[in-house]
Amino acid sequence: MKPNTDIRCRVESCRFHCQGQDFCSLNSIQVEPCNGCGSGNPSDESCCGSYKTK
């Protein structure tokens, strides 16, 4: 996997995460709203739609 230094990521359970480097290996990602969002809390409002479990 080659790290994409434009996409920082700390989600170690994702198959595209470059372990120990905190980068994603994808060329781009899709950011999507979380189900049931609307709280106004940034961590509740969006998620990575490109996430895939290892």
Side-chain angles (χ1 to χ4, degrees), residues 6-50:
D6 291 328
I7 305 174
R8 297 189 179 278
C9 179
R10 295 185 311 218
V11 182
E12 294 182 10
S13 63
C14 182
R15 81 171 63 162
F16 305 116
H17 178 75
C18 295
Q19 299 295 65
Q21 300 181 53
D22 290 346
F23 292 111
C24 181
S25 64
L26 295 173
N27 290 327
S28 66
I29 61 168
Q30 178 69 34
V31 177
E32 298 178 355
C34 294
N35 291 334
C37 62
S39 70
N41 182 357
S43 63
D44 294 337
E45 295 294 328
S46 63
C47 63
C48 181
S50 303

